[in-house]
Amino acid sequence: MVNKDIQLKGKGTVAVHGGNEPDPNYAHLTPIYASSTFYFDTAEQGMERFAGEDKTRIYSRWGNPSFKVAEQKIAALEAHGITGADGKPLQLKALLHASGQAAMATMFLSNLSAGDKVLTHYSLYGGTQELLTKVLAENNIETVITDLRDPELAAAAIKADKAIKLVHIETPANPTLQCVDLEMISGIAKQHQLLVTVDNTFATPYLQQPFRYDVDYVFHSTTKFLNGHGTAIGGVLLGKDLEKMNSRVWKWYVLLGGNSNPFDAFMLTQGMRTLELRMERHCSNAMAVAQHLDNHAAIEQVLYTGLPSHPDHTVAMKQMKHPGGMLSFEVKGGVEAGKRFINRLQICTRAVSLGTVDTLISHPASMSHAGIPKAEREKYGITDGLIRMSVGIENIEDIIADLDNALQ
Ligand code: PLP
């Protein structure tokens, strides 16, 4: 067990050793603590556990030793190399949830009250968009949407509406890969004492650490690159205001009941141990695919933040270590060409979701967005021949051969 006081230099080492806890039975890996409740030797011991900050040995809706290791590992990765306001290494508290949606629900609900508003960018994951504009709106928490890539629009929206309490950013965004400048938006929001929340799912802490820019909360759908193998749905919420995380946020977490479970937490912990190796390969493969398709006769256009042609290339390169493992491209020939391409693939997997070791490819116009009228989906950049690709860690020559074959 690596001493917790050692400042680990690389994120790869943090992914392997960070957050690990010694096990009472000397298990090398923290086991799946499949137990709903935990016994107390004495009433006094029970009292101590209830009064303490570590609630992982009381009742598993409140926490569990299997969650704890995953939570500490993600917190160590998100905080790695960052100094807090007190000049010491940044301390974060993480809460492991049943899904990314559950983590964001805890985050919004514990920080907003009826009458408050959220300011966000127009390109967001569909579930986040619906949670904000439908579910929270019904509870009198409204959302103001603008182009947060433009500092003047962002500042004007904040000045125009005193009810805005929180600015939410997803960068890179699903599925457009639009990027918002974290330093710029957080700077503007902080001038007005607003909370800043970030969905870091596409980047992972390996590529991007939003807490470097003074944001308040970060969340992930751990279902994706953090787990990396597609074995569990999950989410995590991280905050730097430890007092609030241990009181108000904690209260909403345990009372909404969106907690994780020991098996999924175990799968997540094992997946995260190879984060650095996987992300390096996802990113180098994605760049090779983007460059290959960019010159392909059957392709109309490629959207990848690593290509200078992407409108947010400069912002992505400023705040991310590499441009990521996600890209999309437009096949010439519309919906039928998109379907034909998808059906001919022999190595890449036809599936939604992202961030798994195998390449996942979807055709939104015939799959996830088939029920949305063409004019409506095109407003969000979902054109007929658009293909979304989560580039896996297979050997690049096999991925490219599969794509070329399907595009013939
Ligand atoms: N945020 C982003 C960027 C996503 O892509 C997703 C799911 O695809 C979510 C949040 C929601 O995560 P989950 O499906 O784990 O609830």
Side-chain angles (χ1 to χ4, degrees):
M1 195 60 47
V2 173
N3 183 328
K4 285 185 178 163
D5 297 330
I6 296 180
Q7 299 288 316
L8 299 174
K9 293 194 174 58
K11 282 194 197 144
T13 318
V14 177
V16 175
H17 293 286
N20 293 351
E21 286 283 313
D23 186 75
N25 293 313
Y26 290 81
H28 171 210
L29 305 177
T30 299
I32 301 171
Y33 279 91
S35 185
S36 57
T37 194
F38 295 82
Y39 67 84
F40 311 121
D41 285 331
T42 59
E44 289 73 19
Q45 190 189 50
M47 278 167 64
E48 244 171 63
R49 286 195 206 157
F50 272 92
E53 271 174 13
D54 181 358
K55 302 277 198 308
T56 54
R57 284 176 301 157
I58 299 174
Y59 181 60
S60 283
R61 176 158 49 77
W62 291 32
N64 173 292
S66 303
F67 304 1
K68 186 175 175 183
V69 174
E71 290 171 338
Q72 293 183 159
K73 204 178 274 300
I74 303 172
L77 285 163
E78 281 289 1
H80 185 244
I82 307 179
T83 305
D86 56 3
K88 296 191 184 136
L90 180 69
Q91 297 297 314
L92 297 172
K93 164 124 184 145
L95 293 170
L96 206 61
H97 285 73
S99 64
Q101 287 299 129
M104 76 175 96
T106 301
M107 182 182 78
F108 288 132
L109 291 170
S110 61
N111 282 287
L112 297 164
S113 308
D116 291 345
K117 290 188 186 173
V118 174
L119 175 66
T120 194
H121 183 66
Y122 58 83
S123 181
L124 287 180
Y125 168 61
T128 313
Q129 181 109 24
E130 278 199 76
L131 179 70
L132 286 170
T133 59
K134 299 197 177 140
V135 179
L136 294 187
E138 276 187 27
N139 292 283
N140 199 17
I141 296 169
E142 284 176 33
T143 294
V144 177
I145 296 174
T146 189
D147 188 341
L148 289 183
R149 294 172 300 176
D150 180 335
E152 283 173 20
L153 287 179
I158 293 171
K159 281 188 199 132
D161 199 334
K162 292 278 169 280
I164 293 173
K165 293 281 152 48
L166 184 152
V167 181
H168 178 63
I169 306 161
E170 179 181 316
T171 183
N174 183 358
T176 61
L177 301 179
Q178 287 182 5
C179 296
V180 172
D181 187 326
L182 288 163
E183 187 181 21
M184 178 270 283
I185 280 296
S186 184
I188 295 173
K190 291 295 154 191
Q191 281 168 20
H192 299 268
Q193 288 81 46
L194 304 182
L195 291 172
V196 181
T197 63
V198 181
D199 183 338
N200 204 24
T201 301
F202 267 39
T204 80
Y206 182 66
L207 300 181
Q208 171 175 281
Q209 289 171 281
F211 285 108
R212 287 196 184 280
Y213 309 101
D214 197 26
V215 311
D216 298 281
Y217 296 93
V218 167
F219 75 85
H220 292 265
S221 164
T222 59
T223 316
K224 313 292 169 18
F225 289 103
L226 285 177
N227 171 301
H229 301 75
T231 53
I233 297 284
V236 70
L237 172 61
L238 299 117
K240 66 178 183 190
D241 181 344
L242 302 184
E243 204 329 87
K244 192 165 178 187
M245 284 300 286
N246 285 321
S247 52
R248 189 176 162 89
V249 179
W250 162 257
K251 196 50 108 201
W252 283 84
Y253 170 66
V254 295
L255 295 179
L256 289 174
N259 56 280
S260 183
N261 68 77
F263 181 75
D264 290 357
F266 176 84
M267 298 309 275
L268 173 60
T269 300
Q270 302 327 312
M272 283 193 293
R273 289 155 66 97
T274 54
L275 185 69
E276 175 170 87
L277 291 177
R278 286 187 291 105
M279 291 313 290
E280 284 290 333
R281 180 71 163 240
H282 282 298
C283 295
S284 63
N285 276 356
M287 181 60 98
V289 168
Q291 284 169 342
H292 180 74
L293 294 181
D294 210 24
N295 299 311
H296 202 292
I299 300 296
E300 193 70 53
Q301 67 158 337
V302 178
L303 281 172
Y304 182 54
T305 44
L307 295 180
S309 57
H310 191 280
D312 300 327
H313 173 68
T314 310
V315 173
M317 297 328 295
K318 173 185 166 195
Q319 59 198 20
M320 294 171 73
K321 184 178 169 76
H322 306 305
M326 296 296 299
L327 57 94
S328 45
F329 53 92
E330 172 86 26
V331 178
K332 286 183 186 162
V335 176
E336 285 313 312
K339 276 166 51 183
R340 206 168 41 244
F341 164 73
I342 282 272
N343 285 337
R344 283 185 183 163
L345 293 167
Q346 288 178 316
I347 296 171
C348 302
T349 309
R350 284 172 285 273
V352 291
S353 199
L354 56 114
T356 58
V357 287
D358 53 330
T359 297
L360 302 185
I361 291 201
S362 66
H363 177 222
S366 68
M367 299 175 177
S368 52
H369 294 67
I372 302 175
K374 182 175 152 90
E376 182 74 9
R377 63 172 158 77
E378 283 189 343
K379 271 198 242 157
Y380 299 102
I382 315 285
T383 47
D384 286 349
L386 190 82
I387 302 292
R388 194 184 78 165
M389 183 166 181
S390 165
V391 185
I393 65 166
E394 300 95 336
N395 295 109
I396 189 62
E397 52 273 31
D398 285 318
I399 300 176
I400 286 183
D402 198 28
L403 297 175
D404 281 349
N405 194 36
L407 283 169
Q408 257 173 28

